Amino acid sequence: RGAESWLLRGLIKDTEGFKSRHVARLISLALTRHLVWTSITPNAMTLVSVAIGLAAAPFFLSSAPGWQLAGALLFLLHSILDGCDGEIARLKFLESPGGAALDFWGDNAVHVAIFGCMGVGWSLSAHSPWPLAVAALAVASTLTAAFVEAPRMVSSSAPPPPRSTGARTADALANRDFIYLIVALSAFGKAAWFNVFVAIGTPIFVLARLWAARPRVRG
């Protein structure tokens, strides 16, 4: 218990300087304070988070702001709980490549489901098939980015390399603060507009990540 308390204090200290940008992290840490003393495992926490994220997707089939906002808040709850599994894993010394893979691909399954439902809902409200093309591009871009990121996100054995400018740019593009934009758009019934940002921004993220990972030629 003493070791876990020390680690928990360390996790909290890491976020103290970023309260305005990482509200979700602070909430997840508050939940972890209680969950760490229970028998729940990191993988079980991941599955709970993924289930809530998938449950959020059908709400975006509607163009009504109320339904979309409910879905966006569930999506935000998914993001908050998604932080708990990693925190529990570190505090209980249960980190594993399998758990990292479950977390990573679970998150991407949620994103694909939500972006897909956004596209279908937009198509139904617009009485046109073209939003489906935007959604298809958003989903394809998301999956491409996932496969590019998978080796780095799932592997826990190798120490992280020095962060180049390109790598830091890619990390910024991958920041999940985008969920707050979805919440804002949902309040006006326009959540599906986010698919346009995904369709344009995710290929830029992939190119930035590939550029960051390119072999360096030493002169």
Side-chain angles (χ1 to χ4, degrees):
R1 185 182 179 94
E4 290 178 349
S5 299
W6 177 79
L7 285 171
L8 186 55
R9 287 195 298 271
L11 288 173
I12 293 172
K13 184 177 180 181
D14 287 343
T15 64
E16 284 179 346
F18 303 91
K19 289 183 179 180
S20 62
R21 292 182 54 197
H22 299 284
V23 177
R25 178 72 185 277
L26 292 172
I27 297 174
S28 73
L29 282 169
L31 292 172
T32 299
R33 282 178 181 270
H34 303 284
L35 294 173
V36 73
W37 307 118
T38 71
S39 60
I40 191 167
T41 64
N43 286 350
M45 196 69 236
T46 297
L47 293 176
V48 169
S49 169
V50 170
I52 291 174
L54 293 176
F59 286 87
F60 294 103
L61 294 173
S62 172
S63 60
W67 287 106
Q68 289 192 7
L69 187 57
L73 292 176
L74 281 175
F75 190 22
L76 180 59
L77 177 60
H78 151 77
S79 178
I80 291 171
L81 295 180
D82 184 53
C84 293
D85 56 4
E87 292 158 5
I88 293 171
R90 289 190 291 276
L91 290 168
K92 292 187 174 183
F93 303 102
L94 293 175
E95 292 177 282
S96 69
L102 178 64
D103 184 28
F104 179 76
W105 290 110
D107 284 349
N108 280 282
V110 170
H111 295 167
V112 166
I114 286 180
F115 299 155
C117 285
M118 283 180 176
V120 173
W122 193 2
S123 178
L124 291 173
S125 64
H127 304 289
S128 173
W130 69 264
L132 295 176
V134 177
L137 182 56
V139 168
S141 299
T142 298
L143 291 174
T144 300
F147 281 103
V148 169
E149 281 288 273
R152 185 180 73 90
M153 298 299 293
V154 172
S155 175
S156 60
S157 56
R163 309 300 290 154
S164 65
T165 300
R168 292 194 298 270
T169 300
D171 288 340
L173 290 170
N175 193 301
R176 286 198 300 176
D177 287 350
F178 69 80
I179 294 177
Y180 298 104
L181 177 57
I182 292 178
V183 172
L185 290 172
S186 296
F188 299 95
K190 303 298 183 182
W193 287 6
F194 188 75
N195 270 355
V196 177
F197 294 103
V198 177
I200 296 173
T202 306
I204 295 174
F205 160 76
V206 172
L207 291 175
R209 181 64 75 198
L210 293 175
W211 175 261
R214 74 193 188 284
R216 303 302 200 275
V217 178
R218 298 184 180 276

